[in-house]
């Protein structure tokens, strides 16, 4: 009996710091959302909380994301309850569709489905508070919180993009485009390749590019497949990295505002109107340096700040789509072969889309890779307890990331004039972080147990 009491006491002692950390994280996230809501309202924009509440009734911007978020919540429920929740969500969406049809309400923006998934998620939160107790309540609330965080993450990102376009009238594209000469202007090269593929190539890449959150949910569902049976979440999984990238990344949009080559050196999203099935465009060519992308590389000259419109997001540095795709690739390495192939495909297709659509420069992608590995290393170091190797990895990644941004801003002309030196140096800087991450995390993996040796036979008398 005493041994059991001691064991329970030890479990409670280990559990208390994690619960405290989760509560602190929840308070920080709520404070961040409220602050972002306040800033957006001050600028006359809808905040993330307002946008999410509207989707309880109005057509959601992404119904697929709401269902994907609900799927993350369902990992804590047994199969029977999962089917009940899914059936309820589909039933609610069917009723909402019929009511809109009877009232002759036309859905002009967003998706005609997804309200059911959001309402079921909120309903599960009510069930957790009113009908569950103890660890079961905590587990269900964790599932609901995970779903709501993914939903709020999308709204937070949209609000960040609107804020960057309103508060950063000057952009630094000339600096990044000049520095990109050291890498051979990859956006111009891949842009010509994507343009040559016509509607098929563009729309396939556009689908992959736009469904990155859904791909992350698929990987996360595999990682969380045993939550219902084990009644606990794993220590580290993709959603944590995905959300951390989305929260921290836009801060650098404010520090280093860049709109991208298709806008700064082309005619903007109008370039893809003739081949896109669903892309919307707004005229921006009057703000561009010249209509050069993707056929004529940008000229090498002294870069300057340049004004741009108040609509186009300043969301290039670093490339968060690259960061998210790298995170998906990392977290699929221990999955089955099909999942590993899917992770590699999503990474390659996302890199092709970010460059080929003219949304990013090559310098953005290098910064995005370093950014992801630094965040992933920090999360894993925190989970296992900070030690010298974890601190060294994070400091290395943060130092390289800072050096990249500083060089893009203050050395672009030198980088363009000495491309034979700075191009390989940029790639080597990124590779150094990749190598440090792979080597450090490999040392963190538990070593395999030694093979059991057969007992020696007794010697004959």
């Amino acid at each position: 009996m005493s041994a059991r009491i001691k064991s329970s006491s030890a479990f409670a002692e280990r559990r208390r710091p994690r619960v405290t950390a989760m509560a602190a994280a929840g308070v920080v996230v709520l404070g961040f959302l409220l602050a972002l809501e306040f800033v957006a309202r001050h600028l006359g924009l809808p905040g993330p909380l307002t946008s999410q509440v509207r989707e309880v009734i109005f057509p959601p911007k992404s119904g697929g994301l709401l269902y994907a978020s609900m799927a993350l919540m369902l990992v804590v429920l047994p199969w029977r309850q999962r089917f009940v929740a899914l059936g309820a969500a589909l039933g609610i969406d069917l009723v909402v569709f019929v009511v809109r049809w009877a009232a002759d309400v036309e859905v002009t923006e967003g998706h005609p489905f997804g309200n059911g998934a959001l309402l079921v998620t909120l309903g599960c939160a009510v069930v957790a508070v009113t009908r569950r107790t103890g660890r079961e309540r905590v587990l269900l609330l964790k599932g609901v919180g995970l779903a709501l965080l993914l939903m709020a993450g999308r709204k937070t990102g949209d609000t960040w993009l609107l804020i960057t376009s309103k508060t950063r009238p000057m952009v630094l594209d000339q600096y990044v485009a000049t520095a990109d000469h050291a890498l051979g202007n990859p956006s111009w090269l891949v842009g010509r390749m994507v343009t040559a593929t016509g509607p098929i190539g563009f729309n396939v890449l556009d689908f992959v590019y736009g469904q990155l959150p859904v791909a992350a949910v698929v990987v996360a569902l595999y990682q969380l497949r045993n939550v219902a049976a084990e009644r606990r979440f794993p220590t580290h999984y993709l959603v944590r990295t995905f959300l951390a990238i989305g929260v921290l990344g836009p801060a650098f949009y404010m520090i280093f505002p860049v709109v991208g080559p298709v806008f700064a050196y082309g005619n903007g999203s109008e370039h893809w109107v003739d081949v896109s099935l669903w892309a919307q465009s707004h005229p921006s060519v009057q703000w561009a340096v010249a209509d050069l992308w993707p056929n004529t590389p940008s000229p090498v000259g002294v870069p300057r700040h340049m004004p741009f419109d108040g609509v186009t997001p300043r969301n290039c540095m670093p490339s968060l789509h690259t960061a998210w795709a790298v995170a998906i690739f990392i977290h699929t390495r221990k999955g089955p072969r099909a999942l590993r192939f899917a992770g590699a495909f999503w990474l390659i297709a996302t890199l092709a889309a970010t460059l080929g659509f003219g949304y990013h420069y090559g310098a953005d992608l290098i910064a995005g890779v370093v950014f992801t590995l630094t965040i992933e290393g920090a999360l894993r170091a925190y989970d296992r307890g900070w030690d010298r190797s974890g601190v060294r990895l994070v400091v290395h990644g943060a130092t390289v990331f800072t050096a990249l941004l500083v060089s893009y801003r203050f050395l672009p002309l030198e980088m363009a004039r000495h491309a034979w030196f700075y191009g390989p140096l940029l790639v080597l800087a990124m590779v150094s972080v990749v190598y440090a991450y792979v080597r450090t995390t490999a040392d963190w993996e538990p070593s395999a147990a030694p093979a059991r040796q057969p007992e020696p036979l007794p010697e004959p008398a």
Side-chain angles (χ1 to χ4, degrees):
M1 178 67 70
S2 61
R4 183 177 300 177
I5 294 175
K6 290 181 180 179
S7 176
S8 300
S9 175
F11 175 78
E13 290 296 329
R14 291 194 304 268
R15 179 185 175 85
R16 190 174 295 115
R18 178 166 294 182
V19 173
T20 304
M22 289 179 57
V27 172
V28 171
V29 170
L30 180 59
F32 173 74
L33 291 175
L34 291 175
L36 203 59
E37 183 79 18
F38 175 79
V39 173
R41 291 292 188 90
H42 181 71
L43 295 173
L45 303 171
L49 298 178
T50 303
S51 300
Q52 192 65 69
V53 171
R54 281 177 52 86
E55 292 189 351
V56 173
I57 300 175
F58 295 95
K61 183 174 182 179
S62 176
L65 180 65
L66 294 182
Y67 270 96
S69 301
M70 185 187 72
L72 282 180
M73 179 200 67
L74 297 183
V75 298
V76 306
L77 300 176
W79 279 105
R80 180 177 177 276
Q81 295 179 13
R82 292 176 186 175
F83 286 124
V84 171
L86 180 59
L90 294 174
I92 292 172
D93 274 337
L94 180 60
V95 171
V96 171
F97 174 80
V98 171
V99 170
R100 287 174 181 157
W101 174 77
D104 197 22
V105 176
E106 184 179 359
V107 178
T108 57
E109 295 184 2
H111 292 168
F113 64 92
N115 305 94
L118 177 56
L119 288 171
V120 167
T121 302
L122 297 175
C124 286
V126 175
V127 170
V129 173
T130 59
R131 303 293 298 275
R132 301 288 178 88
T133 59
R135 295 182 64 184
E136 293 299 314
R137 172 186 290 176
V138 173
L139 185 66
L140 183 53
L141 286 177
K142 283 184 179 179
V144 172
L146 190 63
L148 293 178
L149 274 177
L150 189 60
M151 297 176 188
R154 175 65 178 267
K155 299 302 178 187
T156 300
D158 293 342
T159 303
W160 262 121
L161 297 184
L162 291 173
I163 291 175
T164 62
S165 64
K166 299 297 183 183
T167 62
R168 291 295 180 268
M170 308 296 287
V171 297
L172 304 178
D173 280 79
Q174 293 187 28
Y175 293 86
V176 185
T178 303
D180 224 40
H181 281 273
L183 299 171
N185 299 299
S187 180
W188 272 258
L189 174 62
V190 183
R192 290 194 295 271
M193 295 170 61
V194 174
T195 301
T197 62
I200 296 177
F202 172 84
N203 288 291
V204 169
L205 290 178
D206 193 34
F207 176 81
V208 174
Y209 189 82
Q211 299 304 315
L212 199 60
V214 178
V217 169
V218 172
V219 177
L221 289 176
Y222 173 79
Q223 293 179 321
L224 303 176
R225 65 193 184 280
N226 296 324
V227 170
E230 298 176 356
R231 314 310 296 164
R232 64 180 181 85
F233 279 83
T235 304
H236 182 57
Y237 49 96
L238 175 60
V239 178
R240 298 175 70 211
T241 307
F242 210 81
L243 291 174
I245 291 172
V247 170
L248 298 176
F252 295 98
Y253 294 165
M254 306 292 287
I255 299 172
F256 209 114
V258 181
V259 293
V262 73
F263 297 101
Y265 292 93
N267 60 352
S269 51
E270 291 185 348
H271 181 84
W272 302 110
V273 168
D274 294 336
V275 296
S276 175
L277 296 177
W278 45 71
Q280 299 178 350
S281 67
H282 66 274
S284 63
V285 68
Q286 66 271 23
W287 297 92
V289 175
D291 191 359
L292 304 175
W293 190 90
N295 297 316
T296 306
S298 62
V300 177
V302 178
R304 295 180 176 85
H305 290 64
M306 57 181 286
F308 214 80
D309 63 27
V311 179
T312 306
R314 281 66 163 150
N315 62 337
C316 284
M317 183 63 69
S319 170
L320 293 196
H321 267 79
T322 298
W324 284 320
V326 171
I328 290 174
F329 177 79
I330 292 172
H331 282 263
T332 55
R333 292 310 87 198
K334 294 184 179 180
R337 179 178 298 179
L339 197 64
R340 295 198 304 271
F341 284 162
F345 165 77
W346 226 274
L347 175 61
I348 295 172
T350 300
L351 296 180
T354 54
L355 290 174
F357 293 168
Y359 295 161
H360 289 280
Y361 303 91
D364 307 338
L365 273 62
I366 290 179
V369 172
V370 175
F371 184 68
T372 299
L373 295 178
T374 305
I375 291 179
E376 179 74 12
L379 290 174
R380 296 191 62 179
Y382 171 79
D383 291 334
R384 69 186 304 273
W386 288 99
D387 58 9
R388 182 176 297 178
S389 62
V391 173
R392 185 168 57 243
L393 173 61
V394 175
V395 170
H396 181 192
T399 302
V400 172
F401 181 74
T402 303
L404 290 174
L405 296 190
V406 171
S407 63
Y408 298 158
R409 173 62 179 83
F410 296 103
L411 298 174
L413 197 56
E414 291 296 320
M415 297 171 71
R417 289 173 175 172
H418 303 90
W420 58 270
F421 173 74
Y422 284 100
L425 183 61
L426 290 175
V427 176
L428 284 175
M430 179 187 70
V431 170
S432 72
V433 178
V434 174
Y435 175 76
Y437 174 83
V438 172
R439 182 176 180 179
T440 303
T441 54
D443 292 339
W444 290 348
E445 295 295 333
S447 56
R452 186 176 181 181
Q453 300 295 329
E455 297 181 1
L457 295 175
E459 296 183 2

